[in-house]
Structure formats: structure tokens, C-alpha cells
Amino acid sequence: MQLHPITVIEIIFTAIFLGVLFIIAVLIPKTKRKIGLYAACLITVIVLAFFLIRPHWINYQVSIKTEQLHAYLEKNYPGEDWKIKRKVGRQYNPYHLDVEFENEKGWFYTYWVKSGDTIKQKGYAVPVSETENREPKHFQPEDW
């Protein structure tokens, strides 16, 4: 299993943090040591729960935001067909959704969905010719 560098950094810092907590819990006076170990164990369980729940929570939020973007596109582009995708990977913001319209093959428009009322186009990607073997070039609105 190959981990993304962001994930490796999170795991390393979390392990160091939890290790320091347990060292501190062991080094405190014997009368308070039991409470310190309980607290360190509780924090460890909370951190593990966070790492287990976070991907499912993000997927749930993305499904809601995809529905909101779909409603927004139906309202603003009636009669059009589109595909909504999300870039997969830790380096990408999971809340930036790419839309490819059926009549504009190869063009991807990146939308950021905060809520059903706040949807903004954050960038676009131009089509790449068949001879070029690379990803589409993405532009931000500041580049316009």
C-alpha cells in the first residue's frame, strides 16, 4: 500500500503527539498516573475515530455538494447535459468539483460549492490535443 506524503506526515506527527502524551502520563506522580493514562488512551481513541470517520464524512459532504451543484447547473444551464467529477487524491480539495458539459468535450470547469446558495466557478481546464500526453492545464480566475 502506497501512502500519500500528506498522510505519512499526519501519521508521523500523530504518533509523536500520542507518544509524548503517554510519556508524560507515565512520568507524572503515581497518584495522578492512572488519570493521565486514561486521558492519553481517551485521546488516542478520539484521534483514531477521527481518522476512521473523516473519509466517510468527506464522501458524504461531497455527495450533498454534488446534488447542490447539479441543481445549480439545472437552473443556470437548462437543456444542457454534463458530468460532475471530483479529482481523487489528498493533494486536491475534495470540495472542488469538475464539470464537463456534453457540448464542450475536454473542457472542465471547476466549481466550489459552499452551500446551495454559494457556488462559484474557481477555474477551468482547456482540452489537450491527442499528441500531447499530459493532464489538462488548469487555470484559476486570477489568470483570466
Side-chain angles (χ1 to χ4, degrees):
M1 178 171 86
Q2 193 174 16
L3 296 176
H4 192 274
I6 295 172
T7 306
V8 173
I9 291 169
E10 283 180 345
I11 291 170
I12 289 171
F13 278 108
T14 302
I16 290 170
F17 172 73
L18 294 175
V20 168
L21 273 178
F22 277 99
I23 290 171
I24 291 171
V26 169
L27 293 177
I28 59 177
K30 193 169 186 159
T31 58
K32 307 270 185 186
R33 189 173 299 156
K34 193 173 187 180
I35 294 172
L37 287 172
Y38 282 142
C41 288
L42 179 66
I43 291 171
T44 301
V45 168
I46 290 170
V47 168
L48 289 175
F50 168 77
F51 282 119
L52 290 173
I53 293 171
R54 181 174 59 171
H56 301 291
W57 178 253
I58 289 173
N59 288 337
Y60 172 71
Q61 291 294 317
V62 167
S63 68
I64 291 172
K65 292 180 185 304
T66 302
E67 291 174 11
Q68 291 171 340
L69 178 59
H70 185 73
Y72 170 84
L73 292 172
E74 279 183 346
K75 177 182 169 191
N76 290 324
Y77 303 102
E80 296 283 334
D81 292 326
W82 54 80
K83 293 178 193 169
I84 299 174
K85 299 192 256 185
R86 171 181 126 189
K87 291 184 200 83
V88 179
R90 291 292 308 271
Q91 68 271 26
Y92 299 115
N93 186 335
Y95 304 115
H96 286 178
L97 302 172
D98 287 341
V99 176
E100 180 183 25
F101 289 94
E102 195 68 35
N103 62 347
E104 294 180 333
K105 292 286 187 187
W107 286 79
F108 292 94
Y109 298 92
T110 303
Y111 286 88
W112 173 67
V113 182
K114 182 175 182 181
S115 67
D117 300 331
T118 310
I119 298 175
K120 296 181 181 180
Q121 183 181 342
K122 298 300 276 185
Y124 65 94
V126 297
V128 177
S129 68
E130 294 295 324
T131 58
E132 297 179 42
N133 192 12
R134 61 182 175 86
E135 292 290 316
K137 182 166 175 52
H138 289 272
F139 295 96
Q140 299 300 322
E142 296 82 35
D143 298 336
W144 297 352

